[in-house]
Amino acid sequence: MGAIVPGLWGTPEDALSHLIYLFGNQTQLAFGSLDSAINGIPPLIHEKFPCPTKQPCSALIFIEEATEAIGHPNKLQFLQLVQKLAASTAMKENQRFSIALYGNGIFHKTELQTFNVFNQTLTAFIDTIQTSDSPNAGQTRLAPILTDLKNVINSGAVQNYAILLMGELDVVMRSLKVTT
């Protein structure tokens, strides 16, 4: 699932069409704005990743680029979106959550947490972004965080994953070697 945030390059329409392409033309997984994602993603999570067992069976992972290119308002808005999405899905003990931040390196790795621990971590990030706009890297390196994510997924800790990645579209496309 993905949402478009305002940026410096390109148009929102182009970004949305590229995002839809990344999801194999599954238009229901791509949202044209953070506001539409707030309303659209929670029902999708319950529909696509139900969690009927007691042991951890699903994880909702959020990954945010924390660079100058993203900008303070968008970093903060994404974290607030994460908070709303997680609160709307935290109804079962067997769900796990993670928030990861990256820029020129990994600022916070992908770590599967219970809702309460995740909420504490997320609140601390929101406070830090609000007060000092930190982290605020000058470069974007996507490969380390994607490797970290791959390791978490390959660990087999849970069966199903939903991942919401916020980053510059051109960097994501280059990292995934997507051509249009």
Side-chain angles (χ1 to χ4, degrees), residues 37-99:
I38 288 171
N39 295 322
I41 290 177
L44 271 175
I45 291 168
H46 290 297
E47 175 189 321
K48 298 278 184 190
F49 305 102
C51 214
T53 63
K54 289 285 185 199
Q55 38 197 188
C57 76
S58 69
L60 185 51
I61 299 172
F62 301 97
I63 302 173
E64 177 178 39
E65 177 182 332
T67 65
E68 294 171 351
I70 296 300
H72 177 262
N74 290 325
K75 286 187 279 189
L76 184 58
Q77 188 178 17
F78 181 79
L79 291 175
Q80 290 167 338
L81 168 65
V82 167
Q83 196 171 42
K84 289 178 184 177
L85 291 173
S88 73
T89 60
M91 299 177 190
K92 298 181 177 96
E93 289 179 34
N94 53 356
Q95 292 176 313
R96 295 295 178 261
F97 301 85
S98 179
I99 178 72

Side-chain angles (χ1 to χ4, degrees), residues 2 50 71 80 91-92 98 108 122 127 129 141 154 162:
Q80 290 167 338
M91 299 177 190
K92 298 181 177 96
S98 179
H108 189 267
L122 181 58
D127 291 345
I129 293 288
R141 294 201 179 107
N154 288 340

Side-chain angles (χ1 to χ4, degrees), residues 49-179:
F49 305 102
C51 214
T53 63
K54 289 285 185 199
Q55 38 197 188
C57 76
S58 69
L60 185 51
I61 299 172
F62 301 97
I63 302 173
E64 177 178 39
E65 177 182 332
T67 65
E68 294 171 351
I70 296 300
H72 177 262
N74 290 325
K75 286 187 279 189
L76 184 58
Q77 188 178 17
F78 181 79
L79 291 175
Q80 290 167 338
L81 168 65
V82 167
Q83 196 171 42
K84 289 178 184 177
L85 291 173
S88 73
T89 60
M91 299 177 190
K92 298 181 177 96
E93 289 179 34
N94 53 356
Q95 292 176 313
R96 295 295 178 261
F97 301 85
S98 179
I99 178 72
L101 302 176
Y102 73 97
N104 56 348
I106 297 175
F107 300 123
H108 189 267
K109 295 179 93 169
T110 308
E111 177 184 350
L112 300 180
Q113 302 172 322
T114 63
F115 177 75
N116 290 335
V117 174
F118 167 81
N119 199 38
Q120 291 170 352
T121 302
L122 181 58
T123 300
F125 286 154
I126 290 172
D127 291 345
T128 302
I129 293 288
Q130 284 179 322
T131 58
S132 67
D133 192 22
S134 177
N136 195 27
Q139 297 179 334
T140 304
R141 294 201 179 107
L142 189 57
I145 198 70
L146 291 178
T147 299
D148 176 60
L149 176 64
K150 180 184 80 166
N151 292 337
V152 169
I153 291 172
N154 288 340
S155 74
V158 298
Q159 298 168 356
N160 300 301
Y161 296 88
I163 302 159
L164 182 60
L165 169 72
M166 190 270 276
E168 293 175 86
L169 182 62
D170 62 327
V171 174
V172 172
M173 302 240 336
R174 276 183 294 175
S175 295
L176 300 174
K177 294 185 173 90
V178 175
T179 58

